[in-house]
Amino acid sequence: MNKSPVGGEGGGGVFHDPEVDGNGKANTITNNTTGSTDQNMKAIISSGGIGSGSGSGLVTKKKMNIVRMTLLFVGMTVACFIFYNSVFPSRFLPISLYDYTGTTSSQGNDHLLNAVLKNASMKDRTILVTTLNDAWAEPNSIFDLFLESFHIGSNTKWLLNHLVVICLDQKAYARCLALHPHCYELYTEGANFTSEASFMSSDYLQMMWRRIKFMSRILDKGYNFVFTDTDIMWLRNPFPQFYPDADFQIACDFFRGDSYSIKNLPNGGFTYVKSNERTIWFYKFWYFSRKAYPKMHDQDVLNKIKSDRLISRHGLKMRFLDTQYFGGFCQPSKDFNKVCTMHANCCVGLDNKVNDLRILLRVWRNFMALPPNATTTAQTSWTVPQNCSTSFQRLGKHS
């Protein structure tokens, strides 16, 4: 995914994941455990806790041996577990830890979030969610284009009543309140998400993971959601094209023709997720998996874990969305009578995105202005990407 304005926390985690370097460190742990046992036993003996008094020497030695062997066994078990993780890094936490289904860490203003979600919710507790920072909220920037797409799309304007905008700074929050009824300011201690985050920078990664963590929180509250990056233009109501039996469905940079195939290349900028035990578990699994791949963003980590046996074991029904309905600059939708969304993916740079999305909306507006009988036969095609098509090459020259 590209230069999205939102994201997640990169550093801390609920669990500590031990890192090892083969058997050498495992042996160190075992030896340290044994050494600690000897010291503990000396302390117990000196305090008279075991075998004090005459005639108890044999009993004392037996108890010492039992305790020493027990602790040694525990040390060996831990060492084996760490060695296993060094060989199979994607299995860095046991299943029991991933089965955690409690709420994510509590945050302030929870009652305000509950009110915003309730006011925006559809009857089936489904909401649309996007995230916004000041750089993307500036007038005549991404947020204005995003809202405009709902107004000129086919059967999309009503969806704005169910859109929740999660604002990552105060300026974005003020701008949102001036344009939209359902805004929520998400405060992240120690973070500054105001300016544009360069692709794959530490701020960018933190924003990506912040998003995953927050969406997990929404699932915990029992809401289904369609998450959309703000650089996605909503051109047609997408709900008829969603798979009714899927728990988690996601758009693709490149679609391989089979909605079940994990060979598809997903893009985390557009997802439709139903709140249930399987998705609540999955989002926590996804978020915790960042510890195994510390320099990757959420989309790349998803590509790593999408085939993990734990996902199938938990029964998560995952589907990948066809780019003929959910297209983008990577793989544009070719049928204007089917396209629902278009994403400024495969593109970096705010100015590049704004330029090409303006062109995209102009092409769409011209298509919508055609007489009804002409839209089915018109050979309309996108004239984008333009600036975005060379954005990565130009980024490389300036980096």
Side-chain angles (χ1 to χ4, degrees), residues 83 97 115 133 305 338 360 365 374:
F83 174 73
L97 295 184
N133 71 345
I305 68 173
K338 292 182 178 180
L360 184 149
R365 199 179 291 107

Side-chain angles (χ1 to χ4, degrees), residues 195-327:
S195 58
E196 182 184 8
S198 300
F199 183 63
M200 292 306 293
S201 66
S202 60
D203 286 344
Y204 175 87
L205 294 175
Q206 187 179 18
M207 290 166 71
M208 295 300 99
W209 286 113
R210 186 70 183 91
R211 179 180 71 191
I212 297 299
K213 187 175 183 180
F214 187 78
M215 300 318 295
S216 177
R217 186 179 172 194
I218 291 179
L219 292 174
D220 282 332
K221 292 179 178 294
Y223 287 94
N224 316 310
F225 64 78
V226 178
F227 176 82
T228 171
D229 272 349
T230 322
D231 62 344
I232 292 179
M233 302 295 102
W234 284 59
L235 307 177
R236 188 172 277 111
N237 177 14
F239 280 90
Q241 306 306 328
F242 290 140
Y243 300 103
D245 61 337
D247 299 315
F248 172 86
Q249 39 201 308
I250 185 169
C252 298
D253 284 334
F254 296 96
F255 182 70
R256 305 302 190 192
D258 179 1
S259 67
Y260 289 99
S261 175
I262 60 174
K263 294 182 180 180
N264 292 302
L265 299 180
N267 187 300
F270 189 90
T271 54
Y272 175 37
V273 188
K274 297 177 183 177
S275 177
N276 56 44
E277 290 183 0
R278 295 180 295 276
T279 56
I280 289 172
W281 169 85
F282 172 67
Y283 264 73
K284 289 178 174 57
F285 174 55
W286 190 358
Y287 181 71
F288 293 145
S289 295
R290 80 197 190 287
K291 302 287 284 186
Y293 309 99
K295 295 183 179 181
M296 294 185 180
H297 58 67
D298 58 321
Q299 183 174 306
D300 286 341
V301 171
L302 177 61
N303 268 321
K304 293 288 187 181
I305 68 173
K306 62 187 178 182
S307 60
D308 197 291
R309 59 183 175 84
L310 292 179
I311 294 177
S312 58
R313 184 176 298 179
H314 277 78
L316 182 80
K317 298 177 182 177
M318 182 184 298
R319 300 288 290 273
F320 299 90
L321 298 170
D322 194 332
T323 50
Q324 71 172 323
Y325 300 106
F326 304 93

Side-chain angles (χ1 to χ4, degrees), residues 62-362:
K62 288 184 177 180
K63 289 184 177 180
M64 288 176 61
N65 289 335
I66 292 173
V67 172
R68 181 180 285 110
M69 291 304 296
T70 300
L71 293 178
L72 183 60
F73 175 77
V74 171
M76 290 296 294
T77 301
V78 172
C80 291
F81 169 69
I82 294 174
F83 174 73
Y84 176 79
N85 287 337
S86 70
V87 179
F88 303 103
S90 66
R91 311 303 194 251
F92 62 95
L93 286 176
I95 296 173
S96 60
L97 295 184
Y98 284 127
D99 285 337
Y100 165 71
T101 56
T103 58
T104 52
S105 59
S106 60
Q107 301 174 33
N109 298 328
D110 200 60
H111 64 287
L112 295 178
L113 176 60
N114 290 337
V116 171
L117 296 178
K118 181 179 179 181
N119 290 336
S121 177
M122 302 178 189
K123 292 182 179 180
D124 66 349
R125 295 179 66 83
T126 297
I127 57 173
L128 278 60
V129 185
T130 193
T131 43
L132 187 68
N133 71 345
D134 178 50
W136 287 43
E138 289 292 326
N140 301 314
S141 190
I142 294 289
F143 190 49
D144 284 353
L145 296 172
F146 177 70
L147 295 178
E148 181 184 352
S149 72
F150 284 90
H151 286 281
I152 68 174
S154 176
N155 191 25
T156 52
K157 188 175 181 180
W158 68 276
L159 292 169
L160 287 172
N161 298 325
H162 306 288
L163 172 67
V164 176
V165 181
I166 307 300
C167 305
L168 302 178
D169 57 75
Q170 292 182 347
K171 290 184 178 180
Y173 184 57
R175 172 73 170 154
C176 179
L177 289 175
L179 299 175
H180 188 68
H182 308 304
C183 307
Y184 177 76
E185 183 178 4
L186 178 63
Y187 173 73
T188 303
E189 185 175 358
N192 183 1
F193 296 142
T194 299
S195 58
E196 182 184 8
S198 300
F199 183 63
M200 292 306 293
S201 66
S202 60
D203 286 344
Y204 175 87
L205 294 175
Q206 187 179 18
M207 290 166 71
M208 295 300 99
W209 286 113
R210 186 70 183 91
R211 179 180 71 191
I212 297 299
K213 187 175 183 180
F214 187 78
M215 300 318 295
S216 177
R217 186 179 172 194
I218 291 179
L219 292 174
D220 282 332
K221 292 179 178 294
Y223 287 94
N224 316 310
F225 64 78
V226 178
F227 176 82
T228 171
D229 272 349
T230 322
D231 62 344
I232 292 179
M233 302 295 102
W234 284 59
L235 307 177
R236 188 172 277 111
N237 177 14
F239 280 90
Q241 306 306 328
F242 290 140
Y243 300 103
D245 61 337
D247 299 315
F248 172 86
Q249 39 201 308
I250 185 169
C252 298
D253 284 334
F254 296 96
F255 182 70
R256 305 302 190 192
D258 179 1
S259 67
Y260 289 99
S261 175
I262 60 174
K263 294 182 180 180
N264 292 302
L265 299 180
N267 187 300
F270 189 90
T271 54
Y272 175 37
V273 188
K274 297 177 183 177
S275 177
N276 56 44
E277 290 183 0
R278 295 180 295 276
T279 56
I280 289 172
W281 169 85
F282 172 67
Y283 264 73
K284 289 178 174 57
F285 174 55
W286 190 358
Y287 181 71
F288 293 145
S289 295
R290 80 197 190 287
K291 302 287 284 186
Y293 309 99
K295 295 183 179 181
M296 294 185 180
H297 58 67
D298 58 321
Q299 183 174 306
D300 286 341
V301 171
L302 177 61
N303 268 321
K304 293 288 187 181
I305 68 173
K306 62 187 178 182
S307 60
D308 197 291
R309 59 183 175 84
L310 292 179
I311 294 177
S312 58
R313 184 176 298 179
H314 277 78
L316 182 80
K317 298 177 182 177
M318 182 184 298
R319 300 288 290 273
F320 299 90
L321 298 170
D322 194 332
T323 50
Q324 71 172 323
Y325 300 106
F326 304 93
F329 293 164
C330 297
Q331 194 174 63
S333 172
K334 297 180 181 179
D335 192 336
F336 275 57
N337 292 291
K338 292 182 178 180
V339 63
C340 296
T341 61
M342 281 287 287
H343 190 181
N345 53 10
C346 289
C347 180
V348 291
L350 177 58
D351 292 340
N352 297 324
K353 288 176 179 283
V354 169
N355 178 79
D356 284 17
L357 289 176
R358 282 178 179 160
I359 297 171
L360 184 149
L361 290 184
R362 184 161 59 244

